[in-house]
């Protein structure tokens, strides 16, 4: 990961942390709605889908502004109202009034740093979840999805259009699909299942990055890698923070004390619950893998040090005696018989050669010299 | 963080620890009230706010001494008595008598190192919480807030005026505000929500310090940084020690077995509870981030060592043979043919140059020389 | 472990991780069955075993395709239908129809990366477990076994034939065996017991590898060992991920709220439960042993460093003064009386010898020289 | 901490460990009472305090031997019998007979290494707790206090007189005190509260030692400090081992299923319970602080190493080229033009000076030389 | 610990691990009994003790083979049948038949690697526990003790005679002993208490070894010590694996849902339970102590490294300038005025002396030289 990219990642991380911490400051004066998020809110765009069990019972309406008088007399038995963008507070208030939403629900919809949760209100369930994705720097980011689940209606609120639910909308248009037959409670399951699937996708990408990083570490140590290990750890922690409460949400829905879900749908929710458990295990496995990366990094760092130390020691041991010998025969004593021998010089050179090679061979045979 | 500041921080930390440990020594002789705290108590200052649901039903009185005979016949249905400073024990005893407070309650109000808790007494709830702030050295400190919640009254006791609740007092003056409509139980929620918000503010500042420290560590290692890591860890631990029991307090209030809170207020308390859970997650995330800082610190320290070792090894390897060659031709043998060669000296210099540059190039090409 | 083998291991590990992560993507459109696994599905092969309590009441049929009309009117009271290979989706659907299996059950059978679980459906239990084995690279791999347990029938689905259950089939042919007498619920126990036994076998092999690795580490350090430590850790974690839920599965069966198991069989299930607990303890013991390996590795690495540093220090201390002496008598001062002494040279040589040997003896006596 | 003191500490620690382990060997033959403790038992000394609610209703008797016939017909409604020293087994048996104590109770009183616990027997509660103190070497030691709580009597057994309860005895003499009014159950609370207060005192001293040690470590590293870190860890662990069960004891008393405590006293016990929770938090905080000390120690150790390595590297880099230059001009070639230059020598000296200073300045400017 | 002894220890450890893992392979075919253990089974030897409450009501019979027809019509009301050695499968089956033991019970008796557990069967309880001892290499080993507890009888099965229960047998012969009066349920307690006492003995020996090892580490580092630390850790883990479930076993017996124990005996079992809790705390304390040893080891290792590095640095710093000076005056320039000075040589020697001593004093005064 290039330095530039890492810095950007880090900046993104900090922006999110701040948004997360600021998120509940608006908690003071209930009633005064205000958007809280890491970025500015997008313009509001609503889609209303009404459908029944019969083939043609389907009506889709898009609009940007809700008229005051509109009272949602639905054409068909079930309807799903989806909002992209949370800029238009007036419209939100209108919807809140129409569906008798509690002020705290509207507040939580606007406060986009919620922890996933499910809350029972008279006549509806309020669910928040987080849609995970990797931003352009490979960092885990998330968007809030809020769901209001009534007896035969479903309201969803998203920060921005992501295309995640396009397939579901397509399925709804098909009169034969299970979605049409099973009603809004099954639709809730389908949306949650999509959200769970996004975790699989994000986790897979992180898993690949862990593998790549392991290869990079083994090939060539680099202090940036240690930072990326920490970065991956933070990403996995962010996923964990989204997953644990999501599991609880689905668990609560599956038990369904408030009786919003049909028995059949509850079986599907149990399946989604199993998937979150499996995801949690994968997150834990990756967390251990990342810990292992750190251990490998530190062991290799120490290994490098050992190799250098060995090289230094070997060189010092080989050259110290040779230099001493040269120094001895460089002394200026008057009576040094060897100096006058005919082959003295060559003998000393030979001695040095033998000594040097001997020590070299000694260390080589002990495999001390292999990494220079 | 400058040395001076750190020392001061450390001193503040120790002062608090001692206050914390001394805190319950007064536990021996119940009935004999005594102030226990990190600093001396401040002069007592009381504010009585009486209010009803109607617009004009509002009365605010400030006084420093409660007359003996005063019996708080309230003008309006709800009233809130707030005390700043805990110096005036006589006045506290008067209040205790008037509201039938248990001696242990008075003791806990004066013993300002309490753990956040909620206790049910006949006719009232006793709640303590901690108002977090950063002292002038960036160290987490806290002040005790005690609340006595009755059916239509609220008593609050603070160590010193902090201005945290000024906004709430302002809201109360406004006849249209929710606070006026919902009564004292909602007022309790509003105060607790303010206390929770202070955690967000403190945590945000610590989060910023963690980010700065990460930058500092990556830029230039310094043993003080390790101490600051420990310091941040302690700060986060102090927050945790305040938050965990606060969450329990709010959880107990939300379940409200003793029926002091209206259903509507309980919904708001559930919201405050969610905020404490979110805070706890943020504290945990920051704790992991601080652990990560330590890992990065140690890895960089080891990295520095490796770089130095490499430099030393490279220099030793390059200069050892050159010095040996110079030593050899400094020997005084009579028969050393090279010495008499016309270009011997220059040949040797050239040899040395080639050897030195060759080794240098060798290491440079292996990227061993890049950090000198 | 050779480099090549390790790379292959690692590749296998990654393939599995990806399969694991992809596993639940098919979760979106229930009803549209699709095989999900690490490798391609094998051709389907079915075996039907019908048996009663009497000696001759046994019938075994093998077939590759189920005829449409076949309705499994069993000849004897109990029957067991086993399928190898999950390629033939049409056949699976037929079986699903015949036994009224829920679409989610069929989906889970095909999605071979399930976590072990037991689910109660009207009329049958659905159980998944993982059959552990070591692949050719010594890496833990697993195959999914799905069981559908009815009142007097048992369906099993395997990814491929493994021969693990051959002994059980043999026992069934024997009219005297407990399997014949106790019926299908005991048969379920026998299959689960086999699956549990496979964990023992795999764990034993890993235990042996841990012992070997400990010997290797003590004999000669090698950075690959650190990677293998991580590899063993991952293998143990994979076992743990299979074991923990398997224990829960057996625990649920043993309590048997849905009354599928006879009291006698429940005693046997309790025994199998004890075995899983024992296995979990062994996994934990091996995990600690592997952690211990890492500690030993790092301590020995540091030890090696210390030894090298000591050697370097000793050599430097011995040769520095000798070289200095030689340098001193190599100076060219005009008036250096020693140079003119008759035995000066030999005296200096002797001095050097005494000094060198003295220092050598000094270090040897302090046991600084023992590892060169 | 001086070496001598540390050795003594360590010896004391081992003596205690052995006593702790031996403690329950006497468990074999119930009925045969035997003192088990770290030191020899002291002579037994009994004090009987009888008191009523009226001012003069107070009688204190001291004696060393209980007459056989004495049957404790109390003068006043409540009485408290306290025993110091557990040498006189005969007397203990007499008391056991008089108050119908179970043999296991007597055994536990004599076995002074009990874990704090509360046990319900017919007609009385049996409570053990540990009175913490620091021995002369700063090591945590503890004495066992056993309490037998009946309807209107209290028996206490201590290993030796410690003066901890002198204040309580004094209060009892005062007819106006709460102790006289509230009876023996409140007296039990008062004793437990004293025991809890001792933990605060011990913890404060350990906290101070931690602070001092942090200062010492930062000032000058010393391997003894690492041992003291371990020593502090052991002390905190010993406190924890006393505190956790003590909290449980007080919790059980506070719930008071056996109805030995008045409602009012239960409020006070709840207060004592809060104090133990606060103590546990302080112990945990100190444990983290001690862990932090170890981290700082290791980081500073590594820092020292880095500094030395840097110094060594700088010296080697500066002197290697200078020595080489000197070696080159010490060669004996016939044709070395520089040797004959008039200012050659001075030029070389100047070159060396420039080179040396240049390198020195280079490192100084990079802040590599600051710690020599 | 000598190398040889350690190797033997390690070998013993591995033998046990394998036995442990193999232990439940026999689980497949229930009914076919087979001995599973680390070593071969010993010849079977039975002792039957019959006793009543009256003084002379005692009968002890030893035999090696049970006659077919023998039906254990006991002479006295209670009897205890003890078996040493598990070689004689036929005899075991006879006993199984006589006492209506479930095949799984016989299997568990023979499978000597069981986890401690208690299982309720109609008419009897089946208990397994582990008798701990240190083998000749100081390694923790254990033997399985199986108990079958009926209304007035007790069967015990041991791998080999250990003499642990000799005292109990002696007590039984004494008509006055509690064992005779309280019957077989108290006998069960007495046996379990003996087993618990063995843990104390083993733990004490390990505690002493930890103390010795700490002394050895502080005196002289040795890489074998790190291995022994791991060895101690494994021993403590083995103890833990025996203790945790034993505590559960005693807890279950103490609650005694199946009503096999008299109220009085339950009090004694509660006492034994307290002992296991105390043991568990001691094991945890020793585990922390062993962790501390490892920390001390690593800190001292690093300390040694630091000392060597300091020595090396000091020597290099002292000798580099001296050698450079000698090199300078060994240069062969024609014009080097110092060379011709009368006292040049001695001046240079003096300069070297002053410089060397000065640097030496400098480092000595900074306490850099103290550990060579």
């Amino acid at each position: 990961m290039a330095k530039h990219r890492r810095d950007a990642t880090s900046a993104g991380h900090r922006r999110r942390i701040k948004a997360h911490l600021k998120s509940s400051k608006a908690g003071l004066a209930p009633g005064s709605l205000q958007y809280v998020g890491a970025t500015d809110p997008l313009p509001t765009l609503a889609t209303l889908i009404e459908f029944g069990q019969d083939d043609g019972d389907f009506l889709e309406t898009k609009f940007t502004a809700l008229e005051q008088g509109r009272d949602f007399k639905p054409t068909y038995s079930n309807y799903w109202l989806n909002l992209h963008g949370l800029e238009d507070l007036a419209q939100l208030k209108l919807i809140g009034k129409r569906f008798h939403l509690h002020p705290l629900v509207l507040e939580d919809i606007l406060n986009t740093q919620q922890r996933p949760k499910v809350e029972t209100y008279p006549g509806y369930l309020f669910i928040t979840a987080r849609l995970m994705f990797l931003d352009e720097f490979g960092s885990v980011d998330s968007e809030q999805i809020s769901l209001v689940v009534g007896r035969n209606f479903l309201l969803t609120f998203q920060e921005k259009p992501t295309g995640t639910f396009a397939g579901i909308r397509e399925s709804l248009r098909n009169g034969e699909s299970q979605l049409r037959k099973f009603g809004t409670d099954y639709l809730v399951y389908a949306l949650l299942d999509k959200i769970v699937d996004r975790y699989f996708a994000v986790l897979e990408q992180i898993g690949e990055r862990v593998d790549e990083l392991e290869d990079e570490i083994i090939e060539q140590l680099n202090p940036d890698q240690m930072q990326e290990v920490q970065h991956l750890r933070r990403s996995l922690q962010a996923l964990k923070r989204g997953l644990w409460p999501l599991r609880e949400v689905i668990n609560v829905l599956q038990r369904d004390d408030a009786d919003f879900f049909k028995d059949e749908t509850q079986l599907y929710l149990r399946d989604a619950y199993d998937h979150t458990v499996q995801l949690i295990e994968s997150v834990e496995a990756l967390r251990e893998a990342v810990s292992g990366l750190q251990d490998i990094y530190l062991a290799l760092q120490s290994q490098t040090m050992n190799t250098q130390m060995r090289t230094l020691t070997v060189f010092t041991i080989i050259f110290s005696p040779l230099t001493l010998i040269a120094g001895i025969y460089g002394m200026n004593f008057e009576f040094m018989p060897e100096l006058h021998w005919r082959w003295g010089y060559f003998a000393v050179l030979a001695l040095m050669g033998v000594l040097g090679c001997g020590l070299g061979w000694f260390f080589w045979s002990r495999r001390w010299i292999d990494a220079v």
Side-chain angles (χ1 to χ4, degrees), chain A:
Chain A
M1 198 160 65
K3 176 91 174 80
H4 173 74
R5 184 175 150 210
R6 190 155 2 229
D7 285 354
T9 309
S10 201
H13 167 70
R14 291 176 190 182
R15 185 175 38 71
R16 274 190 297 278
I17 285 273
K18 278 176 199 168
H20 191 239
L21 284 168
K22 264 178 208 147
S23 63
S24 87
K25 288 199 173 164
L28 176 69
S32 61
L33 293 179
Q34 193 189 335
Y35 174 83
V36 181
T39 54
D40 289 335
L42 295 176
T44 306
L45 222 149
T47 317
L48 177 70
I49 294 177
E50 295 163 79
F51 62 96
Q53 290 202 0
D54 290 325
D55 199 357
D57 294 358
F58 184 86
L59 195 67
E60 183 167 0
T61 332
K62 282 184 192 238
F63 48 90
T64 52
L66 226 68
E67 308 91 288
Q68 177 77 30
R70 173 139 197 145
D71 56 355
F72 289 103
K73 285 239 173 79
T75 317
Y76 302 111
S77 56
N78 303 302
Y79 58 98
W80 170 24
L81 177 64
N82 179 49
L83 256 84
H84 292 301
L86 302 173
E87 201 187 37
D88 190 345
L89 298 184
Q91 194 154 343
L92 264 176
K93 279 186 196 168
L94 265 179
I95 291 173
K97 215 172 219 169
R98 164 65 186 81
F99 291 96
H100 311 294
L101 303 186
H102 194 274
L104 281 170
V105 167
L106 291 181
E107 211 181 286
D108 284 350
I109 288 168
L110 284 168
N111 185 338
T112 61
Q113 304 295 326
Q114 294 294 321
R115 214 173 157 261
K117 62 178 177 183
V118 56
E119 290 179 342
T120 311
Y121 285 92
Y124 61 93
L125 292 176
F126 176 59
I127 303 167
T128 57
R130 304 206 71 76
L131 195 64
M132 287 330 218
F133 53 90
L134 292 180
D135 64 14
E136 66 264 51
F137 310 115
S139 215
V140 166
D141 205 346
S142 64
E143 188 204 346
Q144 175 164 313
I145 310 280
S146 307
L147 297 92
V148 173
V149 183
R151 292 292 159 191
N152 63 345
F153 67 89
L154 168 66
L155 316 181
T156 53
F157 303 87
Q158 304 180 56
E159 291 184 59
K160 59 172 176 278
T162 55
T164 318
F165 302 142
I168 289 175
R169 242 166 272 135
E170 200 51 54
S171 270
L172 273 176
R173 286 188 197 104
N174 175 3
E176 296 300 309
S177 74
Q178 234 170 334
L179 280 163
R180 285 283 282 280
K181 279 180 208 131
F182 282 31
T184 46
D185 63 334
Y186 186 80
L187 179 57
V188 172
Y189 153 74
L191 293 173
L192 289 175
D193 196 50
K194 273 285 178 213
I195 290 169
V196 170
D197 277 358
R198 283 293 284 268
Y199 278 94
F200 278 101
V202 167
L203 211 50
E204 192 175 356
Q205 282 171 283
I206 291 178
E208 270 164 27
R209 185 64 203 125
V210 170
D211 287 342
E212 277 168 46
L213 188 57
E214 184 172 0
D215 290 346
E216 283 174 36
I217 285 174
I218 287 164
E219 200 193 327
Q220 170 78 38
L221 280 189
N222 186 327
D224 284 359
Q225 291 158 349
M226 195 67 188
Q227 279 174 261
E228 189 160 1
V229 162
Q230 300 306 325
H231 175 73
L232 285 168
R233 197 168 261 177
R234 277 203 298 247
S235 288
L236 287 168
Q237 215 200 2
L239 281 176
K240 193 180 153 179
R241 271 204 304 277
L243 257 180
W244 261 245
L246 179 60
R247 184 184 57 171
E248 267 328 284
V249 164
I250 297 180
N251 192 23
V252 165
L253 297 182
Q254 173 199 336
R255 288 189 332 243
D256 186 30
D257 300 327
D259 214 25
F260 280 94
F261 293 91
K262 286 190 279 291
D263 284 1
E264 181 64 20
T265 310
Q266 275 173 276
L267 285 182
Y268 284 97
L269 283 170
R270 185 171 69 180
D271 196 62
Y273 178 78
D274 284 346
H275 289 173
T276 55
V277 172
Q278 198 173 344
L279 273 167
I280 283 171
E281 281 190 349
S282 297
V283 168
E284 287 304 319
L286 276 175
R287 277 165 68 96
E288 279 225 6
V290 168
S291 274
L293 278 192
Q294 191 167 325
D295 291 342
I296 290 174
Y297 181 92
L298 292 174
L300 283 177
Q301 207 176 36
S302 193
Q303 176 67 22
T304 306
M305 186 94 173
N306 267 10
T307 305
Q308 288 168 4
M309 177 63 92
R310 201 162 55 205
T311 310
L312 177 61
T313 305
V314 163
F315 259 75
T316 303
I317 291 177
I318 292 178
F319 278 92
S320 291
L322 302 187
T323 304
L324 178 62
I325 290 169
I328 286 171
Y329 291 106
M331 293 193 297
N332 297 318
F333 286 98
E334 272 178 20
F335 307 97
M336 291 176 69
E338 300 94 323
L339 296 184
H340 308 294
W341 295 352
R342 185 66 182 93
W343 302 106
Y345 171 53
F346 300 102
V348 163
L349 279 191
L351 172 65
M352 285 180 173
V354 166
L355 195 59
C357 295
L359 285 167
W361 176 85
F362 176 85
F363 290 120
W364 179 84
S365 70
R366 262 157 190 66
R367 313 188 56 208
W368 276 43
I369 314 180
D370 56 3
V372 186

